[in-house]
Amino acid sequence: MTAPKTIDATYEPPRIFGPAYRTATVGILLVVTLIAFEGMSVSVVMPAISRELHADSVYGLSFSAFLIASLFANVVSGLWSDRRGYGLPFLLGVVLFVVGMGLAGASVSKEMFLLARTVQGLGAGFTVVALYVMIARVYPAESRPKVFAALSAAWVVPAMVGPAVAGFVAIALGWRWVFFGIIPLVVPALVMLVPALGKKPAEEATPGDGPRSRPLAMTVAATSAAFGAAILLYGVDLLHTRTALGVVEVVAGLALLGYGLAKLLPPGALRFGRGLPTTVMMRGVFSAAFFGVNMYIPLALQTVKGFDARTAGIALTTGALGWSTGSYLQSRRTAEPHRRIRLGIACVMTGILLSLLSVLPGVTGWVAVPAWIVAGFGMGIGMTTVNVTALKQSPVNEQGANSAALSVTDMLGSAVAVGVGGALINVIGHAPAQIATGFVVITCLMAAVALAGTVLASRTR
């Protein structure tokens, strides 16, 4: 009697919720869920924060500070994780995120709140990138698609319930508890991930040797881009009060930003070169158009239409429903990628223009709900297609760098759009009628960005 040959045995990849990976998987999903919840919740409670801290003048900067800090941390964390391991950047990110949440909840001034948002952004940026590297190193290759599918759910669920929960907490306990309440939940997630931090990698990574894998050059570029974006937005905000200084800061910010992006993005991206360069830039176009309006919907509905925090959050929730539907449908279609990208950005533009109606006299604010379903649907179709297309267009040894480039354009597009929107609100005014006017101007500007995206979509081929 002969023993069965090993080659005849059926191989089953390890289950991500099986005994070997269950604790790490749950910990990763909990961390991502908490970060996503914070991101979706803060836009709902920002009107209340602005009133209490007299922070109307930094409404847009509160979001931009988080995004710009995350941009810098993403690049540094990726380089650090590749060369020294993901353990330290992950732990640093968690500590910074918790400190930022505590500072936000304890804020007594708008300056302190801006600092808190910056620290939160650094923490989120370090943590998320380190988690992605952790997945690549700890899980075998055949199990990773399941982990990333679970991560998608971890982002979508907070987007669906986060705004409503944050609104309820803000009304019942106060806006500070939206931040304080997250801190205790970080502890069990961290405990679950301690074993994974010391686990032997399933696959060892070899650092790249291209120009976008050099630690010093990339750190300098990330610093230049982050400071450039911050100076640019500050200068834009000064243009209506101190024009000369504002112009100087805008020019200086653009110079620093241009230098940094030239190093961080694929060659030809800043001139929308055909193929991969435009595909990477389209991620920023989508984010700018969508989030440039998304962050101001709760402000408009609460200030102009008298919604409370809970009901204002419903529009953002429906956007998440449209997003998840669009993501699912794009995977079932066979249309060419550039056509799906064009359809996606066209839907975003349509949703933006429909949301404009929500602040007009005689029109119910609830029109924002179907409007944001349409916009979210476009994001689901377009953003997912952009991500998949960029990886297909990337050489294997540049997939990591181009994934980072997608994150850079994503965060930068959101940060600049939201910051410019805040500057416009400051120029126009903060009374209800002025907020309505400002929202109309913002939606028209972001619709123009989306329109440009429909023209540029063909260049992703």
Side-chain angles (χ1 to χ4, degrees), residues 32 55 66 84 89 93 104 106 124 141 149 161 187 190 192 210 216 226 327 340 364 374 376 396 408 441 450:
V32 171
F66 180 97
R84 301 295 182 186
V161 303
V187 176
L190 185 58
M192 291 178 187
L216 179 59
S327 296
R340 296 203 302 272
T364 175
V374 173
V396 174
V408 167
V441 174

Side-chain angles (χ1 to χ4, degrees), residues 212 266 276 280 390-391 393-395 398-407:
R212 287 192 288 151
L276 176 64
V280 169
L391 290 179
Q393 293 173 334
S394 302
E398 293 183 7
Q399 287 180 339
N402 290 334
S403 295
L406 287 170
S407 295

Side-chain angles (χ1 to χ4, degrees), residues 3 23 30 47 50 53 73 77 216 238 251 284 318 321 328 337 350 381 425:
T23 302
L30 183 53
S50 295
L53 301 182
S77 181
L216 179 59
L238 283 179
V251 172
T318 55
L321 291 174
Y328 171 76
T350 302
I381 291 177
I425 292 289

Side-chain angles (χ1 to χ4, degrees), residues 129-426:
V129 172
L131 281 178
Y132 286 170
V133 177
M134 183 187 299
I135 292 169
R137 305 287 173 82
V138 171
Y139 293 83
E142 58 270 21
S143 298
R144 292 172 201 158
K146 295 180 181 179
V147 182
F148 281 106
L151 281 184
S152 297
W155 284 106
V156 170
V157 170
M160 295 172 64
V161 303
V165 172
F168 176 80
V169 171
I171 291 174
L173 301 174
W175 63 264
R176 297 179 186 276
W177 285 98
V178 173
F179 299 101
F180 286 146
I182 293 177
I183 295 176
L185 300 178
V186 176
V187 176
L190 185 58
V191 171
M192 291 178 187
L193 287 173
V194 167
L197 295 178
K199 193 169 184 178
K200 184 179 179 180
E203 294 182 18
E204 295 288 350
T206 302
D209 57 1
R212 287 192 288 151
S213 64
R214 296 170 185 165
L216 179 59
M218 292 297 283
T219 301
V220 170
T223 304
S224 177
F227 274 100
I231 293 171
L232 170 64
L233 292 177
Y234 188 70
V236 168
D237 203 39
L238 283 179
L239 287 176
H240 72 291
T241 55
R242 302 172 67 184
T243 305
L245 179 59
V247 169
V248 170
E249 295 205 4
V250 166
V251 172
L254 285 173
L256 287 171
L257 186 58
Y259 172 82
L261 292 181
K263 305 291 185 181
L264 297 172
L265 304 183
L270 295 180
R271 54 180 175 80
F272 287 88
R274 186 171 292 280
L276 176 64
T278 295
T279 302
V280 169
M281 292 297 287
M282 282 300 296
R283 174 81 172 258
V285 172
F286 270 98
S287 294
F290 182 84
F291 291 107
V293 176
N294 184 80
M295 298 304 187
Y296 293 100
I297 288 177
L299 175 66
L301 293 181
Q302 292 181 53
T303 305
V304 180
K305 296 297 184 178
F307 283 32
D308 61 24
R310 282 174 296 189
T311 51
I314 292 177
L316 303 188
T317 299
T318 55
L321 291 174
W323 193 318
S324 58
T325 302
S327 296
Y328 171 76
L329 290 180
Q330 72 84 30
S331 67
R332 313 283 293 182
R333 298 182 65 87
T334 58
E336 294 181 51
H338 76 277
R339 297 186 186 278
R340 296 203 302 272
I341 292 171
R342 180 184 291 121
L343 173 62
I345 196 65
C347 287
V348 172
M349 180 177 65
T350 302
I352 288 171
L353 291 174
L354 288 174
S355 71
L356 181 154
L357 303 175
S358 64
V359 297
L360 298 183
V363 179
T364 175
W366 288 106
V367 75
V369 171
W372 227 233
I373 290 177
V374 173
F377 181 79
M379 290 293 283
I381 291 177
M383 288 281 273
T384 306
T385 304
V386 164
N387 296 342
V388 173
T389 303
L391 290 179
K392 286 183 178 179
Q393 293 173 334
S394 302
V396 174
N397 64 341
E398 293 183 7
Q399 287 180 339
N402 290 334
S403 295
L406 287 170
S407 295
V408 167
T409 56
D410 186 351
M411 293 178 185
L412 187 61
S414 300
V416 172
V418 173
V420 169
L424 289 171
I425 292 289
N426 290 339

